[in-house]
Structure formats: structure tokens, C-alpha cells
Amino acid sequence: MKIALVSDNGTTISRHFGRARQYVVVTVEDGNEVARELRSKEDCHSHGHDHDHDHDHSHSDPRHDAILDAIRDCQVVIAGGMGAGMDQRLRSAGINAIRTQIPSIEIAIEKYLKGQLSDMVELVH
């Protein structure tokens, strides 16, 4: 199994899926981490206009396909939050999304592997 964690720095979980710069991809076998890698992630918000305002990307937004390409081999994504369009796109791709307020990638992985990481659906915006 592969778990992708959305990050800007490789150590903490990004608060917003669409703005994060990379994925930390953890490979798990028999309940233990056996490999870890950093993968580049396209920023779906870097398309030339200000995003300080609130809005929803449609689940048909083509940028969502591009930012999922790097993690199509993953079964789970852990993020600090995401838009409703990305949530739908992940589900359509068969990737289980877990939203959390835990900032540490290490702690989130540990809790996930112990079955103690709950999905905070209220972090879908």
C-alpha cells in the first residue's frame, strides 16, 4: 500500500491540498513503512490570478487530473484540507482521502498505521 501525504516541506502536512508543493509517498508492507519518497506536485492554484478569495473548483477542473498523476499508484492521501472538487476527484480515482489537523507527517503516519487517524470531513471546503 502507498500513502501520499500533501506537504510543502517534506515534514509537515499542508493545510490545503491544492496549494501544496509536493507529496511524501510512504510505502507500507505488513503494517510497517518500508520506503519513503518525495514527489513533485503541480499546484492547481498557480494559474495567474489571486486566490485569496473563496471559491470552489468544479470537480471537472482539468488541473485536478494533472495534480493526481503523481499519486495514481497510491491508495490513501492525507491532507490538512481540500476543496470539494478535489475530494470528488480523489474518490473518482479510487483514492481514499483523510483530512487531519495533525501537522506532523511522522505522527499522522504512525496514527494511520495504528488505525487511529480519523477523517475530519469538515476540512473539505
Side-chain angles (χ1 to χ4, degrees):
M1 166 200 315
K2 290 188 179 179
I3 304 166
L5 298 101
V6 184
S7 184
D8 287 316
N9 59 17
T11 59
T12 58
I13 297 171
S14 176
R15 303 299 300 152
H16 193 284
F17 187 104
R19 294 185 181 134
R21 296 186 179 123
Q22 62 192 4
Y23 300 106
V24 175
V25 177
V26 175
T27 303
V28 176
E29 293 177 4
D30 298 321
N32 296 304
E33 180 180 335
V34 296
R36 185 180 293 206
E37 64 181 300
L38 288 178
R39 295 184 187 175
S40 300
K41 180 190 155 299
E42 191 170 312
D43 178 351
C44 78
H45 290 285
S46 62
H47 46 82
H49 67 271
D50 185 15
H51 266 64
D52 289 337
H53 59 279
D54 255 348
H55 73 281
D56 230 4
H57 280 299
S58 154
H59 68 269
S60 63
D61 190 325
R63 289 179 299 263
H64 291 174
D65 285 333
I67 65 175
L68 290 182
D69 284 345
I71 59 167
R72 293 217 184 261
D73 61 334
C74 296
Q75 292 73 45
V76 176
V77 168
I78 299 173
M82 66 185 63
M86 182 53 67
D87 179 59
Q88 176 62 37
R89 185 61 61 137
L90 286 164
R91 278 190 265 135
S92 294
I95 300 172
N96 183 32
I98 298 174
R99 281 64 51 140
T100 183
Q101 289 183 332
I102 296 171
S104 166
I105 285 175
E106 297 302 324
I107 293 171
I109 291 170
E110 179 183 325
K111 287 187 172 286
Y112 179 81
L113 293 177
K114 290 180 178 178
Q116 299 173 343
L117 189 62
S118 300
D119 182 20
M120 299 179 72
V121 295
E122 63 270 22
L123 296 176
V124 175
H125 53 272

